[in-house]
Amino acid sequence: MNQCYCDRSSGMCEHGHRHGGVDSMPVAMQYVPWQYWSRIYSPEEGLQCGTIFPELNKPFYGKGACR
């Protein structure tokens, strides 16, 4: 797709490109790593942690990025 250097902020430009809105946004790329079966929690521990996979056990300990 060619980059358009028009001054238009919305609508269709003289080159036929649509500017503004969802139609002008690029498609996202994603990365999902493979999850390999290794150690898993017991059913009791998995219920307490919310997952049977230790790699996915990411407990929330505080206020995060808040100031």
Side-chain angles (χ1 to χ4, degrees):
M1 186 168 164
N2 293 337
Q3 181 73 23
C4 185
Y5 297 102
C6 299
D7 289 337
R8 303 275 311 241
S9 60
S10 64
M12 188 78 75
C13 72
E14 59 272 7
H15 300 115
H17 301 123
R18 186 175 300 279
H19 294 273
V22 177
D23 293 335
S24 65
M25 293 181 180
V27 177
M29 298 292 291
Q30 64 182 5
Y31 168 73
V32 180
W34 287 103
Q35 181 178 349
Y36 298 101
W37 283 82
S38 57
R39 187 175 83 83
I40 60 172
Y41 291 140
S42 68
E44 294 81 17
E45 192 175 8
L47 186 60
Q48 185 177 12
C49 295
T51 180
I52 62 170
F53 302 104
E55 297 86 9
L56 298 179
N57 187 3
K58 306 289 185 194
F60 180 71
Y61 289 118
K63 47 189 170 171
C66 299
R67 291 183 178 201

